[in-house]
Amino acid sequence: MKASRYITPEAVDQIKHSIDVLAARNPKLTWAMIAEATGYTRAALSRHEEIKKAYDLAKSDKRTIISDGEQVEELKAKNAKLRAEVVKMKTILEEYDNKYIRWLTNAINAGLSEELLNRPIPKTMKTTVRERGKSK
C-alpha cells in the first residue's frame, strides 16, 4: 500500500479502511498487523489522530460493522435530505431575487438615484461616541 514516504490524506482514508477490514477479519487487531498491511511504521501510524481514532474504535467493544446495504440506505437518506435542502435554498434565492427586483422598481418609481441607493449606511450614535472618545 505504501506509495509515498509520507502519510497523505488519501493514504489516511485507505489506512482507515484497512483497519476496518483487518478488525473484521481478526478481533485481536494490533499496530503490528496494521503496519505490515500498510507499509508504514507503528509510530507514524499512531501519530495521525484520525488513524489512532480508527484503531481505538476498532479495538473497542462499541464498534458496529455496517453492511454495504445499510451504508447505501444511509447514503440515500443523506442524499435525499441534501436534495431537499438544495430545493429549499433555490426557493429562498428566487424569493430574494424577486424582492430585489421589487425594491429596485419601487426605488426607481420613487425617484431615488443610484448614488442615493449606494450611499453608505450612516454610523450609529454609539459608534460615533466611541470614535470621539478614542481621538481625545
Side-chain angles (χ1 to χ4, degrees):
M1 169 191 271
K2 185 175 179 181
S4 170
R5 177 178 172 180
Y6 302 104
I7 300 177
T8 62
E10 294 81 21
V12 169
D13 292 336
Q14 290 177 348
I15 292 167
K16 287 172 26 181
H17 178 71
S18 295
I19 290 172
D20 292 338
V21 170
L22 289 170
R25 290 182 185 163
N26 188 351
K28 296 184 180 184
L29 182 67
T30 63
W31 281 111
M33 293 168 65
I34 299 168
E36 184 180 325
T38 61
Y40 294 102
T41 64
R42 181 222 185 276
L45 292 168
S46 64
R47 206 174 307 133
H48 278 270
E49 193 63 34
E50 286 184 60
I51 296 171
K52 182 155 179 24
K53 283 182 184 176
Y55 175 77
D56 291 340
L57 181 65
K59 291 290 283 184
S60 74
D61 293 335
K62 297 177 184 176
R63 70 182 174 98
T64 57
I65 299 174
I66 299 174
S67 70
D68 289 341
E70 291 171 338
Q71 200 171 20
V72 167
E73 290 303 316
E74 188 177 303
L75 290 173
K76 281 182 180 179
K78 187 175 182 180
N79 189 12
K81 182 179 175 184
L82 290 173
R83 285 181 185 272
E85 191 174 338
V86 165
V87 169
K88 179 182 174 186
M89 293 298 145
K90 283 183 178 180
T91 304
I92 290 172
L93 182 61
E94 188 175 331
E95 289 173 4
Y96 281 136
D97 286 343
N98 291 335
K99 184 184 276 189
Y100 173 76
I101 292 169
R102 185 172 54 249
W103 285 0
L104 181 64
T105 303
N106 290 337
I108 292 171
N109 290 339
L112 300 176
S113 67
E114 187 176 342
E115 294 88 29
L116 183 64
L117 291 172
N118 287 328
R119 188 173 56 190
I121 298 173
K123 294 180 181 175
T124 63
M125 185 182 295
K126 192 174 187 179
T127 305
T128 307
V129 170
R130 284 183 186 157
E131 288 176 351
R132 275 194 232 146
K134 288 181 182 178
S135 63
K136 287 184 181 179

